[in-house]
Amino acid sequence: MTAYVKRVGDLTEPVELSAAQVAEKMTSTVDSEFDPVIKPSHYAGHTGIDCKTALESMLGTEAYVSHMQACAFKYIWRWRDKNGIEDLKKARECIDNMISSIEGDGQ
């Protein structure tokens, strides 16, 4: 095991990908695997670990729920001026994440 854990849940040394390999991986999965509200591709990380999962693991449930509450507030605050209905859906997703975390259902 290395002295520095580089990825959540994976203690192996990371495999370095070229820019072309990263682009290929992202473009090959964007249409089928990602959703702009529920699972945006820019939150997948280079290993595919979901940002929400890593965040809850790092913060713990109470702080994660507080973070999701703040995010929901942000989306509700700006929805008319930025992304419209998509921001309301994102706020709902944050609230659903809060409920799942509190109930212990996972993602």
Side-chain angles (χ1 to χ4, degrees):
M1 181 169 79
T2 62
Y4 178 73
V5 177
K6 295 181 179 10
R7 296 178 286 191
V8 175
D10 185 353
L11 301 178
T12 62
E13 288 294 324
V15 175
E16 294 297 325
L17 300 176
S18 69
Q21 289 171 314
V22 171
E24 170 61 30
K25 186 174 181 179
M26 289 183 75
T27 57
S28 68
T29 59
V30 167
D31 294 333
S32 62
E33 197 174 325
F34 298 106
D35 176 279
V37 173
I38 297 171
K39 192 172 182 178
S41 61
H42 56 277
Y43 286 129
H46 72 279
T47 63
I49 294 172
D50 186 60
C51 182
K52 293 179 286 191
T53 303
L55 191 61
E56 184 172 11
S57 176
M58 180 184 74
L59 296 176
T61 300
E62 186 175 338
Y64 174 76
V65 167
S66 294
H67 173 74
M68 285 290 122
Q69 181 179 355
C71 288
F73 177 81
K74 170 189 72 174
Y75 289 125
I76 291 169
W77 183 272
R78 73 180 198 187
W79 79 274
R80 290 184 192 268
D81 298 322
K82 191 162 184 191
N83 296 321
I85 297 296
E86 184 175 303
D87 273 356
L88 293 177
K89 290 177 181 179
K90 288 179 180 181
R92 182 173 56 200
E93 176 66 13
C94 290
I95 293 167
D96 288 343
N97 291 335
M98 292 168 65
I99 292 168
S100 291
S101 185
I102 292 166
E103 291 179 342
D105 295 342
Q107 299 294 7

